[in-house]
């Protein structure tokens, strides 16, 4: 679930201290800044605060920070709205910006020997010079095939991808302590959701479908381990464009109407329902890709996440199309909530806070 337990030339990942300081989870998506603060009551997590602050159009494009000033300003607004004193943050890179690979190396290495081995291995498959990338690794455990070797997860990203997000946070007066990967942060948040599944999801195949503004991410897990990942170009902007065309609105007006309601009576039947049907078809296609490219031939559960994940009735439409039990992802279901939280609004927002929640949980890593 972690990007790394050792660092190679990446100072901002200096979080391995006996007590990790308080830290916010900050998800920089293509449409909004999502910020979550958790505390630990000893028995369970408590959600203290959260904010979803919209981003200007094209501030983040294809997962890249295209307008640093706009993103920094949005992070600053979100932080002020949070009303927190915590300035340390955990950020994440999109999966497409990170090369990950599992390697095996001899066990019983010192840290410096392990660094040298990982660097040598990484050199073989990273298509950039090592001084252009941030490289990290985590020992997963003993190799199933060879007892005297260990499996290591290596993650590498171009330095500018990391630096852009760090710079945006710093321009808002915040300090980045952790840089994770969005798909790994999803896995972390899933630890809270799997308890809601029959048998806590043991030995079951679970597809987390995160539908953002421009992309749909399909993360398939078994026993908490990622077994498949895919991105498809389909998201909530499609619905915004449909509203725009149907009711002759500007992009901003359509987005606002989508969120707050107030559209004509025929909206649900003539615009929303066709969008949900199209989305369910995309999910069904994604599952077919999964079946044809792995040894698995069924999915036990679908969890809907992202900005579109909580659309009323979408879970039923997806379940009918795929014939797979579908529920809305809510990592906060069994958390206690501070008095600042509005439970009804959190229920609506929860699916889009999955990554931010997973990042906020990094504060409690041992």
């Amino acid at each position: 679930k972690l990007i790394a337990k050792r660092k190679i030339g990446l100072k901002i990942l200096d979080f391995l201290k006996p007590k990790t300081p308080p830290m916010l989870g900050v998800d920089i998506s293509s449409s909004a800044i999502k910020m979550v603060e958790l505390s630990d009551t000893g028995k369970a997590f408590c959600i203290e605060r959260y904010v979803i602050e919209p981003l200007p159009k094209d501030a983040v494009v294809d997962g890249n920070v295209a307008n640093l000033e706009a993103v920094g300003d949005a992070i600053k607004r979100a932080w002020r709205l949070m009303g927190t004193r915590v300035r340390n943050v955990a950020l994440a890179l999109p999966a497409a910006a990170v090369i990950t690979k599992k390697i095996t190396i001899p066990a019983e290495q010192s840290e410096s020997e392990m660094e040298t081995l990982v660097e040598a291995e990484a050199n073989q498959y990273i298509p950039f010079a090592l001084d252009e990338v941030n490289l990290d690794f985590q020992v997963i455990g003993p190799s199933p095939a060879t007892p005297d070797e260990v499996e290591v997860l290596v993650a590498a990203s171009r330095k500018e991808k990391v630096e852009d997000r760090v710079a945006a946070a710093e321009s808002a007066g915040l300090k980045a302590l952790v840089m994770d990967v969005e798909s790994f942060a999803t896995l972390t948040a899933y630890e809270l959701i799997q308890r809601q599944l029959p048998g806590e999801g043991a030995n079951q195949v679970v597809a987390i479908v995160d539908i953002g503004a421009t992309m749909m991410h399909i993360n398939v897990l078994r026993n908490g381990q990622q077994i498949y990942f895919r991105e498809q170009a389909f998201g909530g902007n499609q619905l915004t464009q449909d509203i725009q065309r149907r009711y002759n609105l500007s992009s901003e007006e359509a987005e606002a109407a989508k969120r707050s309601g107030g559209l004509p009576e025929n909206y649900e039947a003539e615009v929303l329902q066709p969008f949900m049907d199209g989305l369910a078809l995309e999910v069904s296609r994604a599952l077919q890709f999964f079946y044809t490219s792995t040894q698995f031939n069924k999915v036990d559960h679908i969890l809907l996440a992202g900005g579109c994940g909580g659309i009323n009735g979408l879970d039923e439409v997806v379940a009918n199309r795929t014939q797979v039990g579908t529920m809305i992802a809510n990592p906060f279901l069994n958390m206690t909530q501070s008095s600042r939280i509005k439970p009804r609004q959190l229920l609506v927002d929860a699916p889009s806070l999955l990554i931010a929640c997973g990042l906020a949980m990094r504060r409690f890593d041992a």
Side-chain angles (χ1 to χ4, degrees), residues 142-209:
S143 166
T146 322
D148 57 351
E149 292 190 325
V150 289
E151 282 191 331
V152 176
L153 178 67
V154 182
S157 179
R158 295 290 292 267
K159 281 184 177 172
E160 66 262 26
K161 306 280 188 189
V162 174
E163 288 162 359
D164 283 350
R165 276 169 156 67
V166 173
E170 286 180 347
S171 73
L174 307 181
K175 184 181 181 184
L177 293 190
V178 171
M179 185 65 72
D180 208 326
V181 183
E182 289 175 0
S183 55
F184 292 177
T186 298
L187 289 181
T188 305
Y190 172 71
E191 292 173 16
L192 302 173
I193 300 170
Q194 67 181 2
R195 299 168 196 170
Q196 303 163 28
L197 299 173
E200 298 197 347
N203 299 318
Q204 295 166 47
V205 177
V206 180
I208 302 175
V209 180

Side-chain angles (χ1 to χ4, degrees), residues 127-315:
F128 317 111
L130 280 187
D131 59 2
E132 293 177 22
V133 302
N134 287 131
L135 183 67
D136 251 344
F137 66 91
Q138 178 196 349
V139 177
I140 299 167
S143 166
T146 322
D148 57 351
E149 292 190 325
V150 289
E151 282 191 331
V152 176
L153 178 67
V154 182
S157 179
R158 295 290 292 267
K159 281 184 177 172
E160 66 262 26
K161 306 280 188 189
V162 174
E163 288 162 359
D164 283 350
R165 276 169 156 67
V166 173
E170 286 180 347
S171 73
L174 307 181
K175 184 181 181 184
L177 293 190
V178 171
M179 185 65 72
D180 208 326
V181 183
E182 289 175 0
S183 55
F184 292 177
T186 298
L187 289 181
T188 305
Y190 172 71
E191 292 173 16
L192 302 173
I193 300 170
Q194 67 181 2
R195 299 168 196 170
Q196 303 163 28
L197 299 173
E200 298 197 347
N203 299 318
Q204 295 166 47
V205 177
V206 180
I208 302 175
V209 180
D210 190 317
I211 311 126
T214 59
M215 297 292 284
M216 178 189 287
H217 301 92
I218 297 91
N219 210 340
V220 187
L221 321 174
R222 189 172 186 274
N223 294 330
Q225 298 291 315
Q226 182 177 295
I227 55 175
Y228 179 80
F229 182 80
R230 179 181 170 81
E231 293 181 330
Q232 286 180 204
F234 186 94
N237 283 356
Q238 180 73 49
L239 179 57
T240 306
Q241 288 162 12
D242 292 345
I243 294 168
Q244 225 181 313
R245 280 194 296 268
R246 185 75 175 79
Y247 302 110
N248 201 22
L249 300 173
S250 71
S251 175
E252 291 73 21
E253 288 168 340
E255 187 64 34
K258 181 176 83 174
R259 294 180 186 281
S260 59
L263 285 160
E265 278 183 23
N266 65 356
Y267 165 65
E268 286 199 8
E270 295 184 17
V271 180
L272 184 59
Q273 190 62 48
F275 171 77
M276 289 198 292
D277 290 339
L279 198 158
L281 181 61
E282 289 293 324
V283 174
S284 181
R285 282 181 181 151
L287 295 187
Q288 291 306 318
F289 280 118
F290 166 63
Y291 299 143
T292 54
S293 55
T294 68
Q295 76 269 33
F296 297 95
N297 57 15
K298 73 163 190 160
V299 164
D300 297 292
H301 308 282
I302 294 172
L303 301 175
L304 297 177
C308 293
I311 293 175
N312 192 30
L314 180 62
D315 49 347

Side-chain angles (χ1 to χ4, degrees), residues 4-128:
K5 285 264 185 181
R6 269 293 310 154
K7 290 77 63 191
I8 299 177
L10 185 47
K11 290 179 181 174
I12 64 153
L13 282 179
D14 185 20
F15 61 89
L16 290 175
K17 294 170 183 165
K19 286 189 178 176
T20 309
M23 192 162 60
L24 309 174
V26 180
D27 174 18
I28 303 172
S29 76
S30 58
S31 62
I33 302 296
K34 294 138 186 183
M35 207 173 271
V36 169
E37 182 179 353
L38 301 178
S39 63
D40 190 353
T41 63
K43 292 181 180 177
F45 290 129
C46 171
I47 176 163
E48 295 287 347
R49 306 169 173 85
Y50 79 91
V51 164
I52 299 175
E53 177 65 23
L55 276 169
K57 196 175 181 197
D58 297 332
V60 174
V61 180
D62 296 332
N64 299 311
V65 176
N67 185 334
L68 188 62
E69 187 181 351
V71 174
D73 287 347
I75 293 174
K76 189 182 286 185
R77 286 195 304 273
W79 186 80
R80 284 178 179 158
L81 284 168
M82 284 274 275
T84 181
R85 292 181 179 178
V86 178
R87 288 183 178 269
N88 297 322
V89 298
L91 304 171
L93 290 163
V98 183
I99 300 167
T100 56
K101 188 168 176 66
K102 230 184 249 185
I103 63 171
T104 55
I105 61 172
E108 306 300 328
Q109 303 281 327
S110 70
E111 287 191 352
S112 59
E113 288 171 335
M114 199 174 278
E115 281 189 15
T116 306
L117 276 172
V118 169
E119 279 194 331
E121 284 282 340
N123 235 338
Q124 297 175 31
Y125 65 86
I126 294 173
F128 317 111

